[in-house]
Amino acid sequence: MTESIVEKATKIAKEFELPEGFVKKAVDVFIKQADESLEKQTLRGLPMIPSYVSGIPKGTEKGVFLAIDLGGTNFRVCSVTLNGDSTFDIIQSKKPIPDSLMKSTSAEFISHLGDRIQEFIETHCCDTMQHEGGSDILKMGYTFSFPVNQTSINRGTLIRWTKGYDIKDMVGKDIVIVLQEELDRRNLPIHIAVLLNDTVGTLMSRAYTKPETSGGQTLIGCIFGTGTNGAYSEKVRKIKKFTGETTEKIMVINTEWGSFDNDLTILPNTKYDKQVNINSPNPDFHLFEKRVSGMYLGELLRLCMADLGFQSEEIANPWSFDTMVPSVIDGDEDPKLEKTGKMLAEYVGLSTTSLEERKAVRILSKAIGRRSAHLSAIPCAGLILHTKALEKFPSLDIGGDGSVIEFYPNFQKMMHEALAEALGKEGDSKITIGIAKDGSGVGAALCAYFA
Ligand code: BGC
């Protein structure tokens, strides 16, 4: 008898299942790789980048700050008012970076950022914005969501691009200097006072909006969006490779956990994962990210659907599926799977589908989503164990941001399932995950406050 499409999909879905005991083992591998990288940097290891950020907010910080935030999809320019009572107000201009610019030259790209900043300043600049020590120069925080070898609080060279970017002549350059030169050329009275990763911003903003006194200790700031990554506070004496100057006792580390297990010692590697890696702009790097984050979940589904024999222009076209496709289908609980049918018709070019076909696609989406959420718990559990935080604090908090953690159906619930596997039910029950909305913009303002 020939296999039905649902049976075929179930077989593929099995390839996305993590074996019994996998999460615990992978957490051990994560801790080992993190320890090694705090000691010595290697090209393919976890970056574990010292951020030069040492102050963690209390929620009482005040002021109006200019901030910019370059992410995987959007560029935001904002004015953030920290009200000093754990609340903030934000005025922002948020627009996607055009696809063509993501693969352009540094001159074109930086000039685009300059245009956007200039436009914002001309419309929204106000007297209350924080200036550099009594001068006319505005102090700005710069959130840059890619791996940077940070050499001071406002200096850092681009290690490599991730997500959809590939502007070759920017790799190795100091990303603050190139933008500062552009701002100076335009005579804009702005000084880039801090450079930070979006996860560092998320950690800061979660600590600001949820101060220690009103709940668990905020331990991790993380992003599960187009890309994935996390930051946490580390004792400076444990960062053996750190050669910079500081008198502080702790420093936030940008782990760049998207690069966990780049050598695939433990991560699953289905034929679909291999294909995604080959087709990506950064082959053989950020392999954890390629199994977890939004940029890749749609692509994994597209490849699985092509394997099942589905045909359309979109299915033939790499990277044509947004995460919204598996996300909406995964969340479709209606017996007729009407939302799934609509999604397949509108975004996948399959104008009519049978119920069996829709069921098959849902099985695949659920398998891809569940694996992503379960893998996501690994670095979080790893950092919790590495810092011995469960022994130190009665409860712990993880601040997260990004479309996947915020909108993918049951993502946080599935993360908790895997956290329970790694830390035990009791350990997991002490952990809360909260969304740090606008974390990277607010975090940039908070870092500018401390700078
Ligand atoms: C980047 C990180 C960033 C993460 C989330 C990854 O691709 O390498 O720097 O924090 O995406 O935006």
Side-chain angles (χ1 to χ4, degrees):
M1 237 182 65
T2 55
E3 254 181 335
S4 74
I5 190 153
V6 167
E7 284 164 344
K8 283 188 194 153
T10 308
K11 244 189 206 164
I12 297 181
K14 279 225 161 333
E15 297 184 44
F16 286 87
E17 275 174 20
L18 300 173
E20 182 86 35
F22 171 85
V23 171
K24 255 189 149 130
K25 274 193 213 141
V27 168
D28 289 344
V29 176
F30 179 87
I31 296 172
K32 189 164 166 274
Q33 294 186 4
D35 277 338
E36 283 166 6
S37 297
L38 285 173
E39 197 151 341
K40 190 169 162 246
Q41 201 57 64
T42 58
L43 174 68
R44 301 190 53 71
L46 258 180
M48 303 294 280
I49 302 165
S51 68
Y52 290 81
V53 171
S54 288
I56 300 287
K58 293 192 168 57
T60 50
E61 294 74 13
K62 267 189 180 170
V64 186
F65 294 89
L66 182 62
I68 55 173
D69 171 18
L70 179 70
T73 313
N74 295 304
F75 180 61
R76 287 197 296 168
V77 191
C78 19
S79 155
V80 181
T81 307
L82 304 171
N83 296 320
D85 58 358
S86 292
T87 68
F88 62 86
D89 295 298
I90 187 164
I91 300 171
Q92 61 176 320
S93 150
K94 175 174 171 179
K95 287 186 195 157
I97 293 282
D99 281 353
S100 58
L101 272 181
M102 291 187 185
K103 297 192 171 73
S104 60
T105 60
S106 74
E108 281 170 274
F109 184 64
I110 295 298
S111 155
H112 174 80
L113 302 190
D115 285 346
R116 296 279 320 282
I117 297 169
Q118 183 159 2
E119 219 175 83
F120 187 88
I121 288 288
E122 284 166 2
T123 328
H124 297 289
C125 184
C126 66
D127 293 343
T128 53
M129 270 182 189
Q130 283 298 317
H131 290 68
E132 284 289 335
S135 72
D136 289 340
I137 314 265
L138 294 166
K139 206 173 172 185
M140 184 169 81
Y142 182 6
T143 306
F144 186 81
S145 310
F146 302 89
V148 162
N149 183 11
Q150 197 138 358
T151 48
S152 78
I153 188 70
N154 66 349
R155 288 286 178 270
T157 51
L158 177 61
I159 300 172
R160 56 181 167 264
W161 287 107
T162 59
K163 300 174 273 203
Y165 281 78
D166 192 15
I167 305 168
K168 293 202 167 48
D169 68 327
M170 252 175 97
V171 176
K173 282 194 181 151
D174 189 307
I175 53 160
V176 176
I177 293 181
V178 285
L179 184 58
Q180 185 68 60
E181 282 172 0
E182 176 71 22
L183 301 177
D184 295 346
R185 208 176 49 73
R186 291 167 186 252
N187 291 321
L188 292 173
I190 298 173
H191 173 233
I192 307 173
V194 277
L195 167 68
L196 66 149
N197 185 261
D198 52 354
T199 55
V200 177
T202 303
L203 177 63
M204 302 291 278
S205 118
R206 181 72 180 162
Y208 173 81
T209 52
K210 186 182 181 304
E212 229 174 294
T213 46
S214 71
Q217 170 82 11
T218 302
L219 187 77
I220 299 172
C222 56
I223 304 279
F224 295 97
T226 310
T228 183
N229 187 12
Y232 75 107
S233 291
E234 183 58 278
K235 294 196 179 90
V236 172
R237 67 177 162 76
K238 281 196 162 179
I239 319 171
K240 301 249 161 57
K241 68 179 176 188
F242 182 65
T243 51
E245 274 177 37
T246 180
T247 50
E248 307 287 346
K249 289 208 169 72
I250 64 131
M251 186 173 287
V252 175
I253 295 281
N254 163 20
T255 66
E256 287 292 339
W257 71 38
S259 261
F260 166 47
D261 203 26
N262 274 336
D263 289 329
L264 294 179
T265 60
I266 189 146
L267 287 178
N269 199 20
T270 67
K271 70 175 185 194
Y272 311 102
D273 295 312
K274 289 180 190 156
Q275 201 56 48
V276 163
N277 178 45
I278 292 167
N279 291 348
S280 68
N282 56 343
D284 298 334
F285 282 99
H286 261 43
L287 295 184
F288 177 75
E289 172 161 293
K290 288 174 190 164
R291 283 142 181 83
V292 167
S293 73
M295 174 158 164
Y296 305 96
L297 301 184
E299 181 61 2
L300 283 167
L301 179 63
R302 184 191 72 79
L303 290 163
C304 292
M305 285 182 68
D307 220 17
L308 269 187
F310 284 103
Q311 284 180 354
S312 74
E313 211 174 290
E314 287 78 354
I315 293 170
N317 186 9
W319 309 107
S320 61
F321 284 26
D322 192 271
T323 339
M324 192 177 59
V325 178
S327 170
V328 166
I329 296 176
D330 191 336
D332 189 358
E333 298 303 337
D334 160 53
K336 293 198 183 120
L337 298 181
E338 277 176 12
K339 271 193 212 145
T340 302
K342 202 160 172 254
M343 182 54 72
L344 293 174
E346 284 175 12
Y347 291 91
V348 179
L350 298 170
S351 53
T352 52
T353 43
S354 68
L355 182 57
E356 289 301 286
E357 286 172 329
R358 297 199 287 272
K359 278 187 184 162
V361 182
R362 195 174 68 141
I363 289 169
L364 295 173
S365 301
K366 282 201 175 295
I368 293 168
R370 191 182 314 111
R371 188 185 72 162
S372 155
H374 285 174
L375 289 175
S376 298
I378 291 166
C380 295
L383 292 178
I384 289 169
L385 292 175
H386 165 82
T387 52
K388 301 195 171 37
L390 279 174
E391 294 157 35
K392 292 183 200 149
F393 305 104
S395 56
L396 295 177
D397 182 61
I398 298 176
D401 198 6
S403 52
V404 174
I405 195 166
E406 197 178 358
F407 301 119
Y408 200 97
N410 297 317
F411 198 83
Q412 292 179 36
K413 189 169 155 252
M414 293 189 285
M415 273 180 86
H416 274 294
E417 287 166 6
L419 284 173
E421 211 180 312
L423 306 171
K425 281 220 171 70
E426 207 197 318
D428 172 57
S429 70
K430 294 184 180 160
I431 298 164
T432 51
I433 303 175
I435 298 298
K437 199 82 197 119
D438 292 323
S440 35
V442 177
L446 284 159
C447 287
Y449 172 93
F450 286 110

